Amino acid sequence: MIRSLTQTTRSQVQAALAGLTEAQADSVSNPQAMSAKTTLLHLAECARAALTMKNGGEHEWGTGETTAASLAEANALYRRDRDALDQALSGEIDEKTLSVIGDFIVLHEAYHVGQLCTLRLSLDPAWDAYSIYR
């Protein structure tokens, strides 16, 4: 079940980005919100953190890539780190890992999907917010 949920949020992140242009990559829906590019870098770090914690380590926040030249580069970093995490989840998952993945990936990514949808709607009120569902 947890693998299905992580794949759903990952798919929704990608769906929320579909059609977003490089010119819109640094746009924000309000001054306190993250841009799409910043969101991807943040979610990539969360995937790295979850993998580190799954392996018994402690993640040092603010490490790794914190900038990207383009939306495509930020998305590639997100996909790379999610691929590594998803591969690590292919085996048996203990309760601690389940909790970390539930918090850092399932719930946290869903939160940011909502923010990405708000961004998309602020940029294009005609954007179909239901397009994030398979």
Side-chain angles (χ1 to χ4, degrees), residues 25-113:
D26 292 313
S27 298
V28 295
S29 59
N30 67 67
Q32 291 76 35
M34 290 182 187
S35 69
K37 192 164 49 172
T38 301
T39 297
L40 287 167
L41 293 168
H42 171 65
L43 294 177
E45 182 173 18
C46 289
R48 289 191 307 275
L51 182 57
T52 299
M53 288 182 231
K54 179 200 178 303
N55 293 331
E58 190 170 317
H59 180 72
E60 187 176 329
W61 291 98
T63 60
E65 293 84 4
T66 57
T67 61
S70 66
L71 182 63
E73 181 183 334
N75 199 16
L77 293 169
Y78 166 74
R79 289 191 319 263
R80 178 200 69 193
D81 292 338
R82 274 303 305 274
D83 285 348
L85 177 62
D86 292 348
Q87 182 154 1
L89 296 177
S90 64
E92 195 164 319
I93 301 174
D94 62 36
E95 283 297 315
K96 182 180 178 212
T97 299
L98 198 57
S99 178
V100 167
I101 299 306
D103 289 344
F104 279 78
I105 304 303
V106 176
L107 296 174
H108 191 78
E109 278 193 354
Y111 164 79
H112 283 290
V113 166

